Amino acid sequence: MRNWALLLWSFMAGSAWAAHGYALWGDLQYPTGFEHFKYVNPDAPKGGELRLVSNLRVSTFDKYNPFTVKGSAPAYLSSLMFDSLLAGALDETAAGYGLLAKDVSVAPDRLSATFMLRAEARFHNGDPVLARDVKHSFDMLKSAQAAPGYRSLLEEVLGVEVLDSRTVRYRFAKPNRELPLTVGGLPVFSHRWGETAGVAKPFDQIVMDVPIGSGPYKIGPVNFGKDITYVRDPQYWARGLPVRRGTANFDRITVKIYKDSTARLEALKAGEFDLMRFFSAGDWARRVNGRKFDSGELVKEEFRHTLPTGFQSYVLNTRSPKLRDVRVRQALGLALDYEWMNRQMFYGAYQRVQGLFGNTACQAQGLPTDAELALLTPLRGQLPEPVFGPMAQAPRTDGPRSLRDNLREAQELLRQAGWIYRDGALRNAQGQALELEYLDSNESGVRVVTPWARNLEKIGVKLNFRPVDFALYQQRLQKFEFEVTSIAYAGTQNPGQEFVDLFGSKAALQEDSGNLSGVQSPAVDTLIQHMTSATSRDALLPACRALDRVIAHSYLLVPQWSASTHRLAYNRLRLDKPAAMPPFAAGEGWAIDTWWAKQP
């Protein structure tokens, strides 16, 4: 491998970048020849079992293919069974290091990225991982048979060329610094997955065929639809690589599924599993207790992270005629009394979500900068005028304004939008009442939404709570058959192509896309394009901040809340862990990757 300083000089001079990894802005934390990531214990013992609960809302699973639309795959299957060309580090953002690939090079014009596969890479069936498998995986993920989010993510990837048995070149429609990381992070699976007597099934008909991946775990014992055990492959081909040292330490990882949160909590207290992440502040404050906690066998601990807050929100589906007027959407948000909820229901555990990019450099604040205005001004006729003023802030009720002030403003907005109180309800010119349905897959969600519904009722809006089983919930979201729901959107330090799926106009018309709000705006499309095509961090920040302003002032989302810690309860007699959690670790994923079983 060439000297790193020379590589960096060559990159800045405009020649192709060939290295052991790729960083969005050209600066890798770990140099060539690094031994392991700093946050792992490279000498962690192998063995034992990690027992945990599913992190998914589904109460069952009915397939092993996590990449198609219909059905539900077991939790963690993709990350445990499928390797990718590059692997990220939990203490660094916007960078990837060679896993299946030993080398990555990006063309000077940034219209292609070439990956050289490691000769030792093997699938679970013993076959080598070859360029044809990389191409096959990409082709399947971008096909109409896969979940449409992949097509949005890969929209600017023209295709993959097999240069030789272990070299592939991805071709891009236009320069985009993010795309090498995007394709480098795609799961790679064998072209033989789903074959019968040499004949391949259509990808969406690969359902119960055991995946042929190259990751550290295989599928072990299964109590179908309930529990699944992943078994570590002792011959895992990458166990000695720098990106894998100190990881995949458990011989077995068993994931259990329970009907509801009460059953999960009681099972934890009974010692049926060893680790559980908590999302409910009420459970954490009042119900995570009992004999095993008193004895010290089970402990509860909060681990502080520096992850983006994400934008967990109530989503307002603008496909509904009742929600097309921005004034109606703004009024709905004014009726949410977050300060009261955090004080009375959440034990002060949360912070209010602020925009799309909270806790990152992309977060818009105050007035638009000159660089932001340079992007926004040509779109002025397509944007709400408040976009050009201060960044929208979530309404508060703890002074100087009160809930009553907010509700009065909401009433006036509804009046301006043509909703007048008569005949016992708030009605439009056609006589329709302003009545909305809140869709949820969990009956217990009514507790959190009731205070909002109660405030809405004060201004004449009726919000009906509609719980359905998860399969129907998933189906209705896929077909956009809802008016209001709640979604926990993950945050990012480096927003890119995924926002085409979340807010792009094409995605609004594509079933099962991430554009649940239904926004179709050429201006939003333009800003996303500026964001994804940014050639420097200085160009990225104004673009993402401008997008942040437009989405916030469009009132498509009613911002909820976020936590600055991961709340984990775990069995300290069975589990051990590194001294500190890396700053960008995502909850129980840190434990799965880097913890180990205590030795007898």
Side-chain angles (χ1 to χ4, degrees), residues 64-278:
Y64 289 143
N65 186 343
F67 310 118
T68 51
V69 174
K70 294 182 179 179
S72 301
Y76 311 113
L77 184 147
S78 183
S79 61
L80 293 175
M81 296 193 67
F82 298 104
D83 279 337
S84 50
L85 295 171
L86 303 177
L90 300 180
D91 59 350
E92 183 178 17
T93 65
Y97 296 87
L99 179 51
L100 287 171
K102 67 176 181 179
D103 186 85
V104 52
S105 60
V106 178
D109 60 7
R110 299 201 167 274
L111 291 176
S112 67
T114 302
F115 298 85
M116 295 182 63
L117 298 174
R118 298 181 189 273
E120 65 269 31
R122 290 290 184 275
F123 288 114
H124 295 145
N125 64 356
D127 288 347
V129 180
L130 298 176
R132 65 176 296 184
D133 299 300
V134 177
K135 176 174 170 52
H136 170 79
S137 301
F138 170 83
D139 290 343
M140 291 300 98
L141 293 174
K142 199 173 181 181
S143 74
Q145 298 166 2
Y150 286 104
R151 292 194 292 283
S152 296
L153 184 69
L154 301 171
E155 183 176 19
E156 295 184 358
V157 184
L158 298 177
V160 186
E161 299 171 356
V162 174
L163 302 185
D164 61 42
S165 64
R166 287 194 170 87
T167 309
V168 293
R169 177 184 294 145
Y170 284 90
R171 294 178 293 105
F172 308 138
K174 51 192 171 184
N176 182 329
R177 298 179 67 95
E178 183 192 25
L179 288 178
L181 279 178
T182 299
V183 298
L186 293 175
V188 174
F189 41 84
S190 171
H191 70 278
R192 298 185 187 278
W193 184 25
E195 277 191 0
T196 302
V199 178
K201 296 178 184 179
F203 192 56
D204 57 357
Q205 293 180 27
I206 299 175
V207 179
M208 294 311 304
D209 303 73
V210 174
I212 305 177
S214 61
Y217 288 89
K218 304 178 183 180
I219 292 177
V222 175
N223 182 6
F224 197 78
K226 292 186 177 180
D227 306 336
I228 183 170
T229 296
Y230 301 99
V231 179
R232 186 171 62 86
D233 180 2
Q235 302 303 315
Y236 175 46
W237 72 272
R239 60 191 182 278
L241 290 183
V243 295
R244 287 303 199 203
R245 283 195 64 192
T247 70
N249 299 317
F250 296 100
D251 280 350
R252 297 174 305 283
I253 297 176
T254 295
V255 184
K256 295 174 175 284
I257 296 177
Y258 295 88
K259 289 184 178 179
D260 54 45
S261 57
T262 300
R264 285 195 296 271
L265 181 54
E266 293 306 313
L268 172 69
K269 294 178 180 181
E272 293 183 14
F273 55 89
D274 311 314
L275 177 76
M276 181 173 172
R277 182 181 176 190
F278 282 82

Side-chain angles (χ1 to χ4, degrees), residues 260-566:
D260 54 45
S261 57
T262 300
R264 285 195 296 271
L265 181 54
E266 293 306 313
L268 172 69
K269 294 178 180 181
E272 293 183 14
F273 55 89
D274 311 314
L275 177 76
M276 181 173 172
R277 182 181 176 190
F278 282 82
F279 297 94
S280 166
D283 281 347
W284 186 254
R286 298 175 53 195
R287 290 176 281 278
V288 184
N289 51 40
R291 180 174 54 84
K292 290 183 181 294
F293 286 96
D294 294 339
S295 70
E297 178 180 349
L298 292 176
V299 296
K300 51 189 291 190
E301 191 170 351
E302 294 192 48
F303 299 92
R304 187 163 297 277
H305 61 75
T306 56
L307 290 168
T309 60
F311 47 106
Q312 178 173 310
S313 308
Y314 292 115
V315 180
L316 308 179
N317 187 355
T318 60
R319 299 173 184 86
S320 168
K322 299 174 186 176
L323 294 171
R324 286 178 187 158
D325 194 307
V326 66
R327 293 168 294 190
V328 172
R329 302 195 299 271
Q330 184 178 359
L332 297 180
L334 283 162
L336 182 68
D337 189 348
Y338 162 76
E339 281 72 32
W340 181 90
M341 295 174 71
N342 195 36
R343 186 172 62 251
Q344 299 295 330
M345 301 174 67
F346 303 151
Y347 302 87
Y350 296 124
Q351 300 82 44
R352 190 76 189 268
V353 165
Q354 299 289 345
L356 303 179
F357 306 118
N359 202 31
T360 76
C362 283
Q363 181 178 0
Q365 300 184 55
L367 292 169
T369 63
D370 290 344
E372 292 170 51
L373 289 173
L375 300 176
L376 292 167
T377 301
L379 307 171
R380 191 159 203 145
Q382 306 171 47
L383 298 174
E385 190 59 28
V387 165
F388 296 89
M391 175 60 176
Q393 298 293 315
R396 303 184 65 93
T397 59
D398 57 353
R401 289 174 64 95
S402 65
L403 175 62
R404 178 175 293 183
D405 295 328
N406 290 345
L407 293 180
R408 285 174 177 166
E409 183 181 351
Q411 285 180 313
E412 175 59 20
L413 287 167
L414 291 170
R415 187 194 65 77
Q416 294 173 13
W419 294 93
I420 308 297
Y421 193 84
R422 64 178 185 275
D423 299 329
L426 201 64
R427 300 180 185 277
N428 60 12
Q430 291 74 44
Q432 296 173 306
L434 187 47
E435 188 170 332
L436 300 166
E437 181 182 85
Y438 176 83
L439 186 69
D440 203 320
S441 65
N442 189 344
E443 289 189 8
S444 64
V446 69
R447 174 179 172 271
V448 175
V449 80
T450 292
W452 186 29
R454 189 166 54 237
N455 292 339
L456 287 170
E457 192 172 5
K458 294 176 183 177
I459 57 175
V461 180
K462 189 171 184 180
L463 183 65
N464 298 314
F465 183 80
R466 169 72 168 158
V468 296
D469 68 76
F470 186 81
L472 179 57
Y473 173 80
Q474 193 174 38
Q475 180 181 343
R476 287 186 59 176
L477 289 191
Q478 288 169 351
K479 296 182 178 180
F480 310 123
E481 295 174 349
F482 73 96
E483 290 178 316
V484 185
T485 194
S486 176
I487 299 292
Y489 293 97
T492 175
Q493 301 274 5
N494 298 282
Q497 192 67 21
E498 70 274 18
F499 280 79
V500 174
D501 183 58
L502 292 173
F503 298 110
S505 295
K506 288 183 181 178
L509 304 173
Q510 190 173 48
E511 187 174 306
D512 195 38
S513 80
N515 190 344
L516 296 176
S517 66
V519 57
Q520 296 183 66
S521 165
V524 168
D525 295 338
T526 298
L527 292 174
I528 293 174
Q529 174 58 37
H530 283 305
M531 194 169 69
T532 59
S533 61
T535 58
S536 68
R537 188 170 174 80
D538 288 342
L540 171 72
L541 294 180
C544 58
R545 290 170 183 168
L547 177 67
D548 199 11
R549 294 178 188 280
V550 172
I551 297 300
H553 283 286
S554 298
Y555 298 99
L556 304 165
L557 309 168
V558 178
Q560 294 182 352
W561 36 87
S562 67
S564 58
T565 62
H566 298 312

